[in-house]
Amino acid sequence: MTSPIFSFRGSVRLLAAVLALVLSASVSATLYKTVGPDGKVTYSDKPPMTAKEAEKTERMRNVPPPGDPDAAKKLTEQQADFQKRALDREASEQKAADERKERAELLRRCQDARTAIRQYKDTGMTLYRAGEKEGERVALDMDTRLKEAARLEEDMKKAGCE
């Protein structure tokens, strides 16, 4: 058997829960997000003044009222910080990609130079260069080949080839 006090307390609790639920739904405020012509985002609890601003405003429903009067300003600053971090991360990723590309290009040029040096130093292979006349080929003598190999080795050191 239930006592009348328990029943009364249960009813009070139920009534308090329903009342809290109703009040929380009516207390929620509307927040407006406006994007200015310069791309600056502003949050406010008041609608924009002009019709032109209203076109670029997004009404945000069921946003709880701010606990302090600077909440909209803080929210704008947080969004600006987030955008800055995203741009910084994107710039960092682009820089890293550029560095990888430069490194790959350096490695390719170093490999090409090593191949050319081997060819200049290989005495069993005859190397030619273009002559003064069109279509003329002139064989390189050993002294010229060794000078070219030395020049390429020096260029490799300056470029940072390993």
Side-chain angles (χ1 to χ4, degrees):
M1 179 168 172
T2 58
S3 69
I5 295 174
F6 179 75
S7 173
F8 177 73
R9 284 185 185 169
S11 299
V12 170
R13 287 182 187 161
L14 179 62
L15 181 62
V18 169
L19 187 60
L21 188 64
V22 169
L23 288 177
S24 69
S26 65
V27 171
S28 67
T30 300
L31 188 64
Y32 296 91
K33 174 183 172 184
T34 304
V35 180
D38 58 351
K40 184 177 177 185
V41 177
T42 306
Y43 293 94
S44 175
D45 58 348
K46 297 177 182 142
M49 295 298 206
T50 66
K52 193 172 191 179
E53 289 176 347
E55 292 175 5
K56 297 181 179 179
T57 302
E58 176 183 337
R59 185 173 177 177
M60 303 171 77
R61 298 173 197 255
N62 299 327
V63 176
D68 64 80
D70 294 330
K73 182 179 177 183
K74 289 177 183 178
L75 187 60
T76 302
E77 290 172 357
Q78 287 175 351
Q79 186 175 18
D81 289 343
F82 176 77
Q83 288 174 343
K84 183 181 182 305
R85 284 193 311 270
L87 289 173
D88 289 346
R89 182 175 51 248
E90 185 178 316
S92 174
E93 290 171 357
Q94 182 63 41
K95 183 179 177 183
D98 290 345
E99 288 174 356
R100 285 190 302 270
K101 186 176 178 182
E102 287 176 17
R103 180 69 181 156
E105 178 63 21
L106 175 65
L107 291 174
R108 186 195 59 76
R109 285 185 308 181
C110 291
Q111 185 60 38
D112 291 348
R114 284 187 198 95
T115 302
I117 290 169
R118 278 194 302 273
Q119 289 174 348
Y120 281 127
K121 290 182 177 181
D122 183 4
T123 57
M125 179 198 252
T126 305
L127 295 179
Y128 298 94
R129 68 170 178 209
E132 294 177 13
K133 298 178 183 177
E134 187 176 333
E136 180 183 21
R137 294 183 347 169
V138 177
L140 296 176
D141 62 349
M142 195 54 161
D143 187 41
T144 304
R145 291 168 73 154
L146 292 177
K147 285 180 185 177
E148 273 302 305
R151 184 191 62 78
L152 284 173
E153 287 172 341
E154 186 62 32
D155 288 348
M156 286 177 59
K157 286 179 187 175
K158 288 179 184 176
C161 294
E162 300 164 353

